[in-house]
Amino acid sequence: MNVRRRVVIGNHKGGSGKTAFVVNAAAALATAGKRVLVVDLDPQANASRRLGWRYDPG
């Protein structure tokens, strides 16, 4: 049986640990062999940077 789940983490309050939780949970799920998609809507792109993505606007 193939079960798909969606987990959404959101909060406007800064410093509540959203990025750390999402990055750590995604890494743990990926290590367990699960397919993971992290969508980073933060203009500062902190989750993307912590996952190793580098943005070069030039």
Side-chain angles (χ1 to χ4, degrees):
M1 176 193 263
N2 196 0
V3 178
R4 294 176 187 233
R5 292 190 175 96
R6 291 183 190 106
V7 177
V8 178
I9 308 299
N11 188 346
H12 285 284
K13 183 184 178 303
S16 60
K18 300 176 297 293
T19 298
F21 173 77
V22 168
V23 169
N24 291 331
L29 290 168
T31 300
K34 306 295 182 185
R35 290 176 52 178
V36 179
L37 171 66
V38 175
V39 179
D40 187 1
L41 299 177
D42 182 359
Q44 295 174 330
N46 289 325
S48 298
R49 282 189 274 145
R50 288 186 68 185
L51 289 169
W53 185 75
R54 299 289 181 235
Y55 174 68
D56 181 11

